[in-house]
Amino acid sequence: MSSEITEILRTSVMEFVNKNVPSGENGLEKSGITPDLRKKLGEQGFLNLKLPAEAGGTGMDAESYIAVLEEFAKAEPSIAMEMFFLNSVAGRVLSHFEDGIELLKRAGRGEISFMTAIPSEFSRISSHSTETTITSDVPIAAGGSSDFLLMTDQSGRTLLVKDKINVRKIQKPLGFRAITWGGVETKNSQYEDLGKGKLEEIFLKQVNLEITAMALGIAEGAIEKTLEYTKVRKVFNTPLKDFGPVAAAVTNMKGEIDLVKHSLDSERREENSEVLRHASLELALNSARTSVQYHGGYGYFESFGIEKFYRDAMAMKMIFGGLKPRELLYRKIYGSDSGRI
Amino acid sequence: MDFKFSEEHEEFRKKVREFGKKEFTKQRIRDSDINEKYPDELRELTYKNGLVSYDDPWKVLISIEELCSIDPGLGISVTIPYFGAEVIMLFGSDHLKEKYLSRINSGKAIMGLAVTEPSGGSDVAGASTRAEKKDGHYVVNGSKMFISNGNLADFFITLVRTSSKEAKRHHGLSVLVVDTNSKGFSANKLTGKLGVRSTTTSEILFENLEVPEENLVGEEGKGFYYIMTFFNISRIFVAAQGIGVAQGAFDRAMDLVKSRGEEYSSREEVQFALAEMATRIKATRLMTYEAASHLFSYEPIPSLTSMAKQYAGETAVFVTEKALEIAGIDGIDSDLERFFRDAKILEIWEGTSEIEKLIIARNMLKGEKP
Ligand SMILES: Cc1cc2nc3c(=O)[nH]c(=O)nc-3n(C[C@H](O)[C@H](O)[C@H](O)COP(=O)(O)OP(=O)(O)OC[C@H]3O[C@@H](n4cnc5c(N)ncnc54)[C@H](O)[C@@H]3O)c2cc1C
C-alpha cells in the first residue's frame, strides 16, 4: 500500500479519535472502551485491519496496520492495545479453523471481544482439564470483555476458552486503563485446543513491529504535547523551550523518535525488529517521563492526558520487555546464544 | 566521622516501622489510593503515637523515611499536616506561635503552605496573589494551585505580593497566615493524580479575604527569603520521602528475586540491576544524612540539601522503574506499581529537579562548597 494511503489512514484515525473518544476530565480511562465505542471502531474498519480476508479482514499490509496502531497509541494507547490483542494475537491463533474465523468476524465488527492471558516468565497458570473442559486460574489477562479467553494451560497448550469465564477485575491497573485487566478463573469451561506454545511464541517473536509501533506512538504522543507545551508555557517570563536543558532533552527525544520512525518505515524493518522492539520500549518510557516532568504539576493530573503515557509506557515494558525477549535480541546481534549468565 | 544513628534513634526507627506495618493495612492503602481518600484517622493515630514531633528533626526524618517505605501515599499523608510549620517557628511572632503552632503541635489542626500559582511554581518570585493593607487588615485576592491539604487545612502559610512594583519582584513578597474559615476563602479539590493519591491537592482561591495584620509573618517584603529558607529545610524531608520510596521498592524487588530461585537470582543482569538500585539508595542516604546533619545543627548548606533532594527524587524514580521491570507483568496490580506512581512527584514538588540543579550550580558559583 502506498504511503499516501497510509497517510490517509493516519488522518482518519485522528478524526475518529477527535469525534468518538472522550478526553479530559472524563476521558477514555474513566469510561473504558465501551461496547458502543467498540462497535464504532468495528464499523469504521479499525478492528479487523489485519485479520485474514476470510475472517472479514481488510487484508491490509503491515505498513498500514502498523501506522494505525502507532496513530491510535499517540492519542489513546488503550485502543491500540485492544486492536493489537484482536488482530495480532487472536487473529494469529484463531484463523485456522472455522469456528475461530466466525469469532474473528464478530470481533472485527465489535460485537464480541476476547481476554488474553499475558504470558509471564514467572507466574504459572494453574489448570486442570478434561478432553472438553478446563478449570484454571490465570494470574493476569487483559483485553475487552470476557466473552472468550485465550490462554496457555499448564502443559503449554494455547486454548480458546468459550464459557464460564470469571474475571477478578483490577480496579485501577497501572496502564492501559481503558481495557479490562484481571485475574481470570474458569470452571469446567468449554475450550478449543489451538496447539502448543502459540501465545508465548507470538508475544516473544512475532509482534516486534506492532510493539514498536505502539511504543513509538506513546513516545510521539508524549513528546508532541511537550513540544507544544514548552512553546507556550512561560516560566520566569520565558517560554520553557528557551532554556537549554529543556530544549536539549525534548529535541533529543524527538530525534530518537524520528530515528525509530524512520527504521519502522523502512523496508528493512523486519530485519531490525528485535532492535526496534527494545529501543522503542526504552524510548517510550524516557519520553513519557520527560513529558510529565516538563508539564510540571499539570502533567501529574489525569485530566491533562500526559501521565497516562508514563503509566502505559511502563506497562509496555512489563508486558513486552523481560529477559527472554532480550535473549532473542542478543542472539540476533551475536548470531548465537548470548547473555545467559 | 560516625555513620551510626544513636541507640535512641534506632529504637525510634523500630517503633515507627512496627507502627507502619500494623496500621498501614492493605485495605487502608488500597482504599486511600483508589478512592483518593485522606486517611484522617491514621493521621491522628500517628500523632498520638508521637511519630511526628518537631522536638527532634531527626525523628521526623526517620518517620518519613520508614513510613514511606511501607506506603508512600499514606506515609506522606500522615506527615504532611505540619507542612510549612517551620516558617512560623523561625520567623513568626510569639502570638502566631501561640495561636497556630500550639494547635499543630497538639495534633488538633492541619496546616499547609500555599506558594504555587497557576501561572507557575518554579518562579516563586513571580507570585501575583495580592494583599493590600486596609483598616488594620490585609485584603487578599488571587489563587494558588496544586496546594496540598487544600480542602483539609485550618490555615495556610501564604505567599502574597504586598508591593506592586515589578522592580521589587523578590522584595515585594510577604507571608501571611490565612485562616481557611475566613470569608472569601474557597478550595476546589483536584482529583485524578498519578500518585500520592491519599494526599489532598487543591486549587485555593482568595476573594477579598481579610487577614488581620498580626497574621503577617516576620516583616513585610521578606516573604521570598522566608519561603526559600523554608524550602532549604523541607527539601531534606522530601529527600527522606525519596529514600523511603526507593527502599520500599527495592525491598519488594529483592523479595521477588529471591522468590524466583537461584537460577534467576544468579543471573548477572538481575544482580547488576539490584546492585545499581542499592548503590543509588545508599548514596542518597549518605548525602541526605550529611545535608541533614548540617541543617539540624543550624549550619545548612543549601547546595548540598538540593543535591540530596534532586538525587533522592531521581533515585526513587529509577528504583521503582527498575523494580517494575524485574516484576514484569505480575507487577501490574502490585505494591510496586503504586510505588512507581508515587515516586514521580518527588522530582516535581518543592523545587523540580531542574530548579534544584540551578540552586546547586548557582550556590557553588558563589563559592559554596557542598
Ligand atoms: C501533588 C502536588 C502537590 C503539591 N503541593 C504543593 C503545596 O502544598 N504548596 C505549593 O505551594 N505547591 C505545591 N505543589 C506545586 C509544585 O511545587 C509545583 O508543581 C512545582 O514547583 C512546579 O511548578 P509548576 O507545576 O508550575 O511547573 P513550572 O514552573 O511551569 O515548570 C514546568 C517545567 O519547567 C521546568 N523549568 C522551569 N524553569 C526552568 C529553568 N529555568 N530551566 C530548566 N527547566 C525549568 C520545571 O522544572 C518543570 O519541569 C504541588 C504539586 C503537586 C503536583
Side-chain angles (χ1 to χ4, degrees), chain A residues 240-294:
Chain A
L240 275 176
K241 72 171 180 60
D242 289 351
F243 296 109
V246 177
V250 176
T251 53
N252 281 349
M253 291 292 137
K254 177 79 173 87
E256 284 185 41
I257 286 169
D258 289 347
L259 286 176
V260 171
K261 203 170 164 60
H262 184 73
S263 300
L264 191 61
D265 284 345
S266 122
E267 307 247 299
R268 293 179 57 192
R269 59 180 160 260
E270 196 60 64
E271 217 176 292
N272 296 323
S273 71
E274 288 92 347
V275 176
L276 284 172
R277 171 182 179 140
H278 292 279
S280 63
L281 289 175
E282 206 65 45
L283 179 59
L285 190 59
N286 290 340
S287 302
R289 190 193 314 107
T290 303
S291 184
V292 174
Q293 185 65 21
Y294 286 138

Side-chain angles (χ1 to χ4, degrees), chain A residues 233 235-236 240 243 246 293-294 296-297 300-301, chain B residues 83 113-116 120-122 145-148 193 201 345 348-350 352 354-355 358:
Chain A
R233 176 69 167 176
V235 182
F236 303 101
L240 275 176
F243 296 109
V246 177
Q293 185 65 21
Y294 286 138
Y300 202 71
F301 285 83
Chain B
F83 188 45
L113 179 97
V115 172
T116 306
S122 300
M145 195 60 172
F146 309 131
I147 303 306
S148 299
K193 290 201 290 278
T201 316
I345 193 62
I348 297 173
W349 64 17
E350 287 174 67
T352 62
E354 289 75 16
I355 295 303
L358 293 178

Side-chain angles (χ1 to χ4, degrees), chain B residues 198-264:
Chain B
S198 52
T199 65
T200 298
T201 316
S202 312
E203 177 184 23
I204 63 178
L205 307 162
F206 313 102
E207 206 184 330
N208 292 323
L209 183 149
E210 291 186 0
V211 179
E213 253 179 61
E214 67 259 26
N215 277 24
L216 173 73
V217 176
E219 291 173 41
E220 233 185 55
K222 294 234 168 116
F224 182 78
Y225 163 73
Y226 298 155
I227 294 298
M228 288 301 128
T229 307
F230 167 74
F231 281 141
N232 278 330
I233 299 167
S234 69
R235 281 173 185 144
I236 277 298
F237 298 120
V238 179
Q241 293 168 0
I243 298 173
V245 175
Q247 186 68 55
F250 178 80
D251 293 344
R252 284 160 177 82
M254 182 60 110
D255 286 347
L256 260 180
V257 168
K258 282 184 183 162
S259 75
R260 287 174 183 169
E262 212 182 309
E263 196 187 328
Y264 182 75

